[in-house]
Every structure is written in structure tokens, then in C-alpha cells.
Amino acid sequence: METTTTKKTAKKDFRKLILEGFVNHVLEHGSVPKSVFKFAKDLKMKEEEFYTYFTSFESIKSAIWVSIFETTLEQIESQEVFKEYSVREKFLSFLFTWIEELKKNRSYLLSLYQDKAQSMKSLALDGKEFKEKFKDFAGEIILEGKETQEIANRPIISDRYDEALWLEAAFIFRYWLDDRSPRFEKTDAAIEKSVNLTFDLMGKSALDSFLDFAKFLYQNK
């Protein structure tokens, strides 16, 4: 009996091919490709196929930031113990896991963001979508913190807490890029100390207690 072997042609994952090709180009040349046409040609694909997945190199950089964020979120939320954490511990867990993901792409990130004068400006542009998703995550933590009273609900100020957490994440990223300590131990210490300070400031302080007491005395005099 004659058997026929059918060869299956695997469909190329062009989106993945583009992302990997872009990262490899940055690693090898220290900069983004000169043109979409040349980049697509090097990947043996047509320029119009590139635009099916991305509109520019900036959109690729944005997708990489979002991918790192989503992978970080998946990892921390998959841990059963994460649900039991305080909001402070949840944010600590995010930053520590995020840095571990960033380590996998350190050479790529250094190539694009090592220049201090440009790094924060570039991050603001390349990480715009990442920032939106991060602030959604931060907003959930802040809301939970207010419900558990780990975070004080202060008029006007508390509406900016998500921006404060974003600035902290940006600071940690910049600090990590400059960190030359073994196993990035200084970055770990910076995360712990900065998060403790941030949540101490967002928590109910002695000043809040004094104002509450003063308000109580005024209303009950």
C-alpha cells in the first residue's frame, strides 16, 4: 500500500519576525534601521507586508515595551500568593519582575536609551502605550489601597498617585540602566527603598491624623 507524505508549510509569523529582526538590527548596529524598505528587504518580505503589522519603527519600539509589560503582569498575576499581597507588596513584586524582564533585553535597551539627555524623552515617546497600560495597573492598585486604607484618599493629590508611580518606574528604569553593581544589587535596593518611601507618603501620616483630630474638635466644639 502506497503512502503519501504531505508536507505542511508553516505560515510565517511576520509580526514576530519583524520584532525579532528589529531587535537584532539594533543590537548589531546600535541604531534603528535606515528605512522600512531596506529593513523589509533584509527580512525577505515586501514593504507592504511590513505595514500590515506596524506603521513605523516607533510602533515597533512601542510594541516591545507593551510586550515586556504584559509579560511582567502575566507572571505576577499567575502567582497565587500575589492576591494576598498588600498593595505595597504588589507594586514591589511588579517592579522586581519588570526588571527581570528588562534584563533579557538590556543590550537592546542600552542601545536606544543609554544617553541620559535623550532617554526620558525617548521613553515618553516609545513607551506611550506602555505608560497607559501601566497607569491602568497603578490605578487598580491605588483603588485597592484606598479601600484597604493602605493609601490615604487626599483631595486633588490622590488623583495624581498613578502619575507618581509612573515617575517612580521611569526612575527605576534609568537607575537600572546606569547600575554597574553585581547582579544589579543597587537597583534592588533602590526599588525597595523608593517603594517604601512612596507608599509611606501615600499612606495615612501623622499630619493626616492631626488634621482629622482638628476637624473632629472643630465640628464637635
Side-chain angles (χ1 to χ4, degrees):
M1 182 176 173
E2 186 178 347
T3 59
T4 304
T5 302
T6 304
K7 292 184 179 179
K8 294 183 179 179
T9 304
K11 187 177 180 180
K12 283 187 178 180
D13 185 343
F14 283 113
R15 189 177 189 278
K16 183 178 179 181
L17 182 68
I18 291 170
L19 287 172
E20 291 179 347
F22 181 81
V23 171
N24 287 335
H25 186 282
V26 170
L27 290 174
E28 291 173 5
H29 300 88
S31 63
V32 301
K34 297 298 183 184
S35 71
V36 172
F37 171 79
K38 180 66 167 59
F39 178 65
K41 184 179 179 182
D42 290 342
L43 294 179
K44 296 181 173 55
M45 62 188 299
K46 296 179 181 178
E47 184 174 359
E48 57 264 35
E49 289 177 321
F50 173 93
Y51 293 121
T52 301
Y53 303 93
F54 297 100
T55 56
S56 63
F57 294 135
E58 284 67 31
S59 64
I60 294 178
K61 289 186 282 185
S62 175
I64 292 170
W65 275 112
V66 170
S67 176
I68 292 172
F69 169 76
E70 290 178 343
T71 300
T72 300
L73 213 57
E74 286 172 8
Q75 287 197 32
I76 60 176
E77 291 181 343
S78 67
Q79 301 170 12
E80 195 64 30
V81 69
F82 183 77
K83 299 174 185 177
E84 309 301 322
Y85 283 165
S86 66
V87 291
R88 182 187 305 236
E89 290 170 331
K90 285 181 177 178
F91 195 59
L92 274 170
S93 178
F94 172 84
L95 288 181
F96 280 128
T97 306
W98 183 53
I99 288 296
E100 289 302 312
E101 287 303 310
L102 292 179
K103 287 178 186 177
K104 299 175 184 178
N105 300 275
R106 184 171 173 84
S107 294
Y108 162 80
L109 295 168
L110 281 171
S111 294
L112 295 181
Y113 306 104
Q114 190 168 21
D115 188 305
K116 288 185 179 180
Q118 292 294 323
S119 65
M120 299 314 294
K121 182 179 178 181
S122 298
L123 179 60
L125 293 173
D126 301 339
K128 187 176 180 180
E129 188 178 354
F130 160 50
K131 180 179 179 179
E132 291 173 359
K133 290 180 177 295
F134 173 89
K135 289 181 75 171
D136 287 341
F137 166 71
E140 292 176 5
I141 283 183
I142 292 163
L143 181 60
E144 181 183 341
K146 289 178 180 178
E147 291 174 350
T148 60
Q149 297 187 342
E150 294 172 74
I151 293 176
N153 192 1
R154 300 184 178 98
I156 303 176
I157 297 175
S158 60
D159 292 337
R160 303 291 294 170
Y161 283 164
D162 59 344
E163 184 68 23
L165 293 184
W166 164 252
L167 291 175
E168 181 171 6
F171 160 75
I172 291 298
F173 172 64
R174 183 67 253 175
Y175 190 94
W176 170 73
L177 282 182
D178 294 335
D179 190 2
R180 298 295 183 269
S181 64
R183 298 184 296 278
F184 304 108
E185 294 168 352
K186 289 184 178 179
T187 296
D188 289 344
I191 290 173
E192 189 167 355
K193 292 180 185 301
S194 65
V195 169
N196 283 335
L197 174 60
T198 298
F199 279 83
D200 283 347
L201 292 172
M202 291 195 299
K204 197 170 181 65
S205 66
L207 177 59
D208 292 313
S209 300
F210 172 78
L211 293 175
D212 284 346
F213 185 57
K215 183 179 179 181
F216 169 78
L217 292 177
Y218 176 78
Q219 291 175 341
N220 294 277
K221 63 181 180 180

